[in-house]
Amino acid sequence: MQNKGKYYITTAIAYTSGKPHIGNTYEAVLADSIARYKRADGYDVRFQTGSDEHGQKIEERAKRAGMTPKQFVDKNAAEIRRIWDLMGTSYDRFIRTTDPDHERQVQKIFKKLYDQGDIYLGQYKGMYCKECEAFYTKSQIVDGDKCPVCGSTVHEENEPAYFFRMSKYADRLIDYIESHPDFIRPVSRKNEMMNNFLKPGLQDLCVSRTSFSWGIPVDFDPKHVVYVWLDALTNYITGLGYDADGNSSDLYKKYWPADLHLVGKDIIRFHTIYWPIFLMALGEPLPKQVFGHPWLLQGGEKMSKTKGNVIYADDLVDIFGVDAVRYFLIHEMPYENDGVITWDLVVERTNSDLANTLGNLVKRTIAMSNKYFGGVVENRGTAEPVDEDLKQTVTSLYPQVEKLMEELRVADAITAIFGVFKRLNKYIDETEPWTLAKDEAKKDRLATVLYNLTEGILSGASMLAPFLPGTAQKIAEQLNYHLYDFDTLGTFGQYPSGNKVTENPEILFARLDYNKDVKDKVDAIMEKQRAAYAAEQEAMGETSKKDDTSLAEITIDDFAKIELKVGEVLSCEPVKDSKKLLCSKVKVGDQVRQIVSGIHKAYTPEEMVGKKVIVVCNLKPAKLAGVLSEGMLLCAEGPDGKLALLTPENPDLPAGSVVS
């Protein structure tokens, strides 16, 4: 295998306020798939993840739980690591921000930045959200006293604090982002950071607190503890052995700068503004790329402990198995828009893709080899034209997946791999081995067909291994051979002719019936969650609050799920057999979406073309009158009942601009 150099990938470190739900777990699985792929592709990979363990929220929750902060984070960090290990996450280091080597370096970094004038002592007065651990100006607060991000009640804080001079480096960061177009991905996240934060001007950042004590002390002023972001973000270098005094380890010198920081879109601001500026001040190289992945939403609503609808990875694994959960997480998350998870959707995907497309393919191929040739797989060279298309599909998979993985389109990569398995199923239908078996004169052709199927399956499994490692290994074992190296996948025919497959193939994925096999288990899980939450509230001396579903009000957290962007209508036509519906092709950034809207009485197709509109981008696709709709156009209804499209005040705004 060719050595392609080093590759350092990190996840955001998970906050130790509680057990990580499936949305948190998605990031770990996604990063692991990329890390495994890069290893298989010839890179020397370093993969780091971990837990973020300081802050006022931790201190208060530990107190309510009757524990010290250290006991509290030890318990929750162990749970995070257990879930990551359960999902097969192949990290090289699980760093904790309470690790002594990290804490000492944070103190040294703080002192270095203070000594060179980047950090100064001041007085902070402003509105503070404990849930987000963030300060906001009064103009940013909503509904009088609510956090603009999570909707929690904010409190005015007035305390001495150290500040970092962000504005000193702002122009330099803007120049860097503009000259490194791949630094922030997707492009929409880059535009958001530039337009909403950097270009309007940066305020100096509070980097210490005195109103609580659970944090890393500022060693030259111990009344202060280092504020969360300077503590948490530096894990990416302290975990490699960075030393602020200039004595960094060989590991740091080898792997830094990071090739990829993988983070949720909600914290991309901290990773693409604060973190690069800290590194500039330290004189260290910036990471090569920060990717802000979308969120995984539970159906159409927010996960809530009070509702008992939070989905956890271990509950999913108990029902579906590790690789089925990995497949769902990787496959169902779009490149840029939020994904959706429900229990019945996992059942549907397991049955259609894993049990039918893959599992059935492997099982019947092995079964036919056993039935017709005693398990011996032999290439007898009786080629026909249909074989060439199959071979081309199999041997062209690696370059196709390689390109997609370079662009971090991981969901598309696994879809491409399953495209090969679908092609193999089609090949069975085309060649009809059961018909060939009836004619003794066609026995050589039958043997060649089964060889081609076996070779194709093992090639596909070799590409699948980074994403579903357990399944790929099981396939190799059932075919009685090893997985192929990536650099050999351009060759068809590696499987040794005359090799013998297993006599009793294991069912890779069992088909499930939601009502018979899953529903009762899900109901029990949800009831257990509600009971645990009630007990937790009682133990903390709090009254459990029930969700008031009679109100139509939503929190700012709910509203933040809605992704609004400017779109431009490229074409429009009536929907057949409908008097109300128009079908528009709408450009949103670099995508073109098909959107069906009930606006025909207000607009003709000709009037729609060229209009700038406001698009709800992360609405689950649905069929209206049999036509797929991939979003929604926002309209207002006047007192006369007529509809009017909402359009941007500035008609020059480019399609894809974020509405916020």
Side-chain angles (χ1 to χ4, degrees), residues 12 65 136 191 232 253 315 331 354 357 408 423 426 501 509 560 572 593 623 660:
Y136 299 99
N191 294 338
K253 294 171 185 176
D315 290 330
H331 183 270
L354 299 176
T357 300
L408 297 179
R423 181 65 188 88
K426 182 182 176 184
V501 298
F509 298 96
C572 182
R593 293 167 173 256
K623 284 190 175 181
S660 58

Side-chain angles (χ1 to χ4, degrees), residues 313-556:
D314 49 353
D315 290 330
L316 284 164
V317 168
D318 286 344
I319 297 174
F320 301 102
V322 171
D323 273 9
V325 178
R326 285 179 66 105
Y327 177 77
F328 186 91
L329 294 177
I330 298 165
H331 183 270
E332 293 299 308
M333 285 292 282
Y335 175 72
E336 190 166 356
N337 299 324
D338 293 335
V340 173
I341 183 170
T342 62
W343 290 95
D344 54 347
L345 197 55
V346 180
V347 171
E348 179 184 325
R349 190 61 68 202
T350 299
N351 288 343
S352 62
D353 294 0
L354 299 176
N356 285 358
T357 300
L358 178 57
N360 193 42
L361 168 68
V362 174
K363 183 180 179 183
R364 63 176 174 163
T365 298
I366 293 175
M368 286 189 290
S369 292
N370 279 307
K371 180 177 181 180
Y372 301 133
F373 297 102
V376 176
V377 179
E378 188 176 1
N379 183 6
R380 298 186 183 176
T382 57
E384 292 187 3
V386 68
D387 298 352
E388 290 309 309
D389 181 71
L390 176 74
K391 292 176 182 179
Q392 173 61 27
T393 300
V394 172
T395 56
S396 65
L397 178 60
Y398 169 73
Q400 184 183 355
V401 172
E402 178 78 349
K403 184 176 185 298
L404 291 168
M405 291 299 289
E406 282 297 316
E407 297 171 354
L408 297 179
R409 295 186 179 273
V410 184
D412 294 334
I414 202 169
T415 297
I417 294 167
F418 270 75
V420 166
F421 297 137
K422 289 178 180 178
R423 181 65 188 88
L424 289 162
N425 279 305
K426 182 182 176 184
Y427 181 74
I428 293 176
D429 296 335
E430 291 169 336
T431 56
E432 297 184 340
W434 52 89
T435 301
L436 295 173
K438 295 176 182 177
D439 188 344
E440 187 65 26
K442 295 183 178 178
K443 195 140 190 177
D444 286 352
R445 176 59 185 159
L446 174 60
T448 301
V449 165
L450 293 176
Y451 177 87
N452 290 342
L453 285 168
T454 304
E455 170 71 357
I457 289 170
L458 196 54
S459 292
S462 301
M463 289 299 303
L464 186 65
F467 311 98
L468 307 187
T471 299
Q473 190 56 44
K474 284 180 182 178
I475 291 172
E477 290 170 359
Q478 293 188 26
L479 297 180
N480 195 25
Y481 202 59
H482 58 75
L483 296 168
Y484 300 151
D485 290 339
F486 278 11
D487 56 6
T488 68
L489 291 174
T491 301
F492 192 94
Q494 298 183 70
Y495 190 79
S497 181
N499 203 40
K500 190 173 183 180
V501 298
T502 184
E503 291 183 15
N504 299 302
E506 177 186 350
I507 296 175
L508 296 176
F509 298 96
R511 285 186 56 82
L512 298 168
D513 181 289
Y514 179 79
N515 289 323
K516 291 181 180 178
D517 303 317
V518 178
K519 186 177 183 302
D520 288 347
K521 296 177 182 178
V522 172
D523 290 343
I525 289 167
M526 293 177 69
E527 182 55 39
K528 184 179 178 182
Q529 279 187 33
R530 286 190 288 266
Y533 179 74
E536 177 187 323
Q537 298 297 89
E538 184 178 351
M540 291 181 178
E542 297 180 4
T543 303
S544 179
K545 298 180 180 179
K546 295 182 179 179
D547 292 331
D548 188 354
T549 55
S550 65
L551 296 177
E553 294 178 344
I554 63 172
T555 67
I556 192 69

Side-chain angles (χ1 to χ4, degrees), residues 612 650-654:
K612 292 287 181 67
N650 180 0
D652 295 325
L653 277 176

